[in-house]
Amino acid sequence: MLKTQDLRLYLCTDRLLSLERPLTEAIEAAVAGGVTLVQLREKKASTGDFYQIALEVHALTRRLHIPLVINDRLDIAQAVDAEGLHLGQADLPLSVARRFFRDRFIGLSASTLEAALRAQAEGADYLGVGPVYPTGSKVDAGDAIGLGCLKAIRAAVRIPVVAIGGINRENAPEVMQTGVAGVAMISGILSQPDIREAARCLWKLVDAEARTGRLG
Amino acid sequence: MLKTQDLRLYLCTDRLLSLERPLTEAIEAAVAGGVTLVQLREKKASTGDFYQIALEVHALTRRLHIPLVINDRLDIAQAVDAEGLHLGQADLPLSVARRFFRDRFIGLSASTLEAALRAQAEGADYLGVGPVYPTGSKVDAGDAIGLGCLKAIRAAVRIPVVAIGGINRENAPEVMQTGVAGVAMISGILSQPDIREAARCLWKLVDAEARTGRLG
């Protein structure tokens, strides 16, 4: 089902972590810096508010030619005609979401090899794997799985893996060296004083490793 | 779009108000007593939990031949193939939900004449109008609109009106006498020591008034 997406620098949003800058402004700066995909995550908004935010963000990401992935909510993804949907372990089962979201891509979160293989078998288009390192951005993230586990999962599945959790400019190169398709970040981009510059720096690191990986 | 539904005794669920009795047990007792339709309302559950609860409740309501309406969440309504969807003012716009929920019925909440007429114009299949009386069951309900306002709305729209908010066995007859299609309740049924008996008593009152209304 996957339409090839550029997963290299994957931005997850969190309005509480963007230092009070408006979300669309933060996203526009991040994409200008090199973010290749935006996942909109609103765990506390009402459905109506989430819909309005998603409409606004999708108008922006369309203009910027970047795919928009909606976290958790199939209804919002359908309502705004988003390119993708990302499901966590507490969300709808993939098989159910797929019935109503065909011809789009659906990613799944996995933090163990078993969960990753199961998600692949169920037909996930990509995996979000982590938390690789300890993280404060997502309070419900479990214990860090480490680079070794990330590498094992990456090697065991055919679908693209995006690493998430505690990734920053210091550790992004070693994460990319595991062969993942990209790195996902919230505060590593959104909480930086200069979002565009932070994204640009990360994009250079990630792109360089992605190229080395392809050549090596 | 409305398939004719029996809206006479409309149960809204709230797991916090059912005195710790399991939800399916409470619903089964309520339907045995005369409840004609169940709206499942889960404002705090994760999507995955809401889905599991909705699956379980829908298996039950199907067995009991009662329509199931999902509050707020189009994704859950689709996922469990519910008969209806109920949208509040903070939920998805009706026109958006309708695109993905055709041939089913969608109700809208309205607490003013303007909102009621707008909802009818947008294509709502029925209206939930209230709170008629002050209520403690729904903390985000606004001020009571009173019987006069309920009557005015009922007279102004062609679609069925279900009255909600602070309705109990004392005031149910006067509410039905405004010509509404039914009364909706949470604690008036779920918080009663004997749910089946409470529903049966209400159903008799409501059914008697509905018959009188048809004859008069």
Side-chain angles (χ1 to χ4, degrees):
Chain A
M1 302 270 176
L2 182 68
K3 304 197 180 75
T4 307
Q5 303 292 343
D6 185 345
L7 301 167
R8 277 178 295 175
L9 190 54
Y10 185 123
L11 176 68
C12 293
T13 68
D14 188 323
R15 283 185 294 157
L16 293 179
L17 295 176
S18 62
L19 311 183
E20 302 193 356
R21 291 164 291 198
L23 190 59
T24 50
E25 215 173 89
I27 290 172
E28 184 148 18
V31 172
V35 156
T36 58
L37 183 150
V38 173
Q39 179 191 123
L40 187 62
R41 197 163 159 276
E42 291 289 335
K43 284 296 191 191
K44 296 195 172 156
S46 71
T47 301
D49 286 346
F50 195 171
Y51 171 65
Q52 290 301 334
I53 295 165
L55 269 187
E56 204 182 337
V57 169
H58 201 206
L60 172 65
T61 55
R62 273 179 164 147
R63 177 160 67 74
L64 302 173
H65 307 293
I66 292 289
L68 176 68
V69 174
I70 301 293
N71 178 280
D72 176 4
R73 297 288 297 265
L74 167 69
D75 50 349
I76 305 295
Q78 289 179 299
V80 305
D81 200 21
E83 286 74 26
L85 175 66
H86 188 89
L87 299 174
Q89 298 293 326
D91 303 338
L92 278 181
L94 173 61
S95 59
V96 174
R98 182 70 84 192
R99 297 200 331 251
F100 306 98
F101 204 66
R102 299 183 185 280
D103 310 319
R104 310 293 177 94
F105 66 103
I106 305 182
L108 249 70
S109 297
S111 55
T112 64
L113 184 56
E114 294 67 34
L117 290 170
R118 194 167 56 237
Q120 174 177 268
E122 287 169 1
D125 292 309
Y126 75 89
L127 297 178
V129 174
V132 181
Y133 305 101
T135 174
S137 296
K138 202 165 167 253
V139 289
D140 58 343
D143 291 337
I145 62 169
L147 273 185
C149 179
L150 173 65
K151 203 165 178 169
I153 291 175
R154 212 285 305 163
V157 297
R158 297 178 309 274
I159 54 179
V161 167
V162 178
I164 188 165
I167 299 173
N168 53 40
R169 66 181 76 183
E170 280 70 45
N171 58 34
E174 66 186 21
V175 172
M176 287 301 291
Q177 284 158 22
T178 63
V180 293
V183 291
M185 257 169 267
I186 306 176
S187 56
I189 294 175
L190 282 188
S191 301
Q192 305 307 308
D194 187 332
I195 290 176
R196 180 178 169 153
E197 199 41 47
R200 188 182 302 275
C201 171
L202 282 159
W203 187 81
K204 278 184 193 161
L205 293 169
V206 162
D207 181 59
E209 294 298 338
R211 282 167 195 274
T212 309
R214 274 200 302 276
L215 296 172
Chain B
M1 300 266 176
L2 182 70
K3 304 198 181 74
T4 307
Q5 303 293 341
D6 184 347
L7 301 167
R8 278 178 294 175
L9 190 52
Y10 185 121
L11 175 68
C12 293
T13 68
D14 188 322
R15 281 185 294 156
L16 294 180
L17 295 176
S18 63
L19 309 183
E20 303 194 356
R21 290 163 291 196
L23 189 58
T24 49
E25 214 173 90
I27 291 173
E28 185 149 18
V31 173
V35 155
T36 58
L37 183 151
V38 173
Q39 179 192 124
L40 187 61
R41 195 163 161 276
E42 290 289 336
K43 284 296 191 191
K44 296 196 171 154
S46 71
T47 301
D49 286 346
F50 196 172
Y51 170 66
Q52 290 301 333
I53 294 164
L55 269 186
E56 205 182 337
V57 170
H58 201 206
L60 172 64
T61 56
R62 272 179 164 147
R63 178 160 66 74
L64 302 173
H65 308 292
I66 292 289
L68 176 68
V69 174
I70 300 293
N71 178 281
D72 176 5
R73 298 288 298 266
L74 167 69
D75 50 349
I76 304 296
Q78 290 179 298
V80 305
D81 201 18
E83 286 75 26
L85 174 65
H86 189 90
L87 299 174
Q89 298 295 325
D91 302 339
L92 277 182
L94 172 62
S95 58
V96 174
R98 183 71 83 191
R99 296 199 334 251
F100 306 99
F101 204 66
R102 298 183 184 280
D103 310 319
R104 310 293 177 94
F105 66 103
I106 306 183
L108 248 70
S109 297
S111 55
T112 65
L113 185 57
E114 295 68 34
L117 291 169
R118 196 167 54 239
Q120 175 178 266
E122 288 170 0
D125 293 309
Y126 75 89
L127 297 177
V129 173
V132 181
Y133 305 101
T135 171
S137 296
K138 202 166 166 249
V139 290
D140 59 344
D143 290 338
I145 63 169
L147 272 186
C149 180
L150 173 66
K151 202 165 178 172
I153 291 176
R154 211 286 303 162
V157 298
R158 296 179 308 276
I159 54 180
V161 167
V162 178
I164 188 165
I167 300 172
N168 53 42
R169 67 181 75 181
E170 280 71 43
N171 58 32
E174 66 186 20
V175 172
M176 287 302 290
Q177 282 157 22
T178 64
V180 295
V183 292
M185 257 169 266
I186 305 176
S187 54
I189 295 174
L190 282 188
S191 302
Q192 305 309 308
D194 187 334
I195 290 177
R196 182 178 167 153
E197 199 41 45
R200 187 182 302 274
C201 171
L202 282 159
W203 187 81
K204 278 185 195 161
L205 294 169
V206 161
D207 180 59
E209 294 298 335
R211 282 167 196 273
T212 310
R214 273 200 302 277
L215 296 174

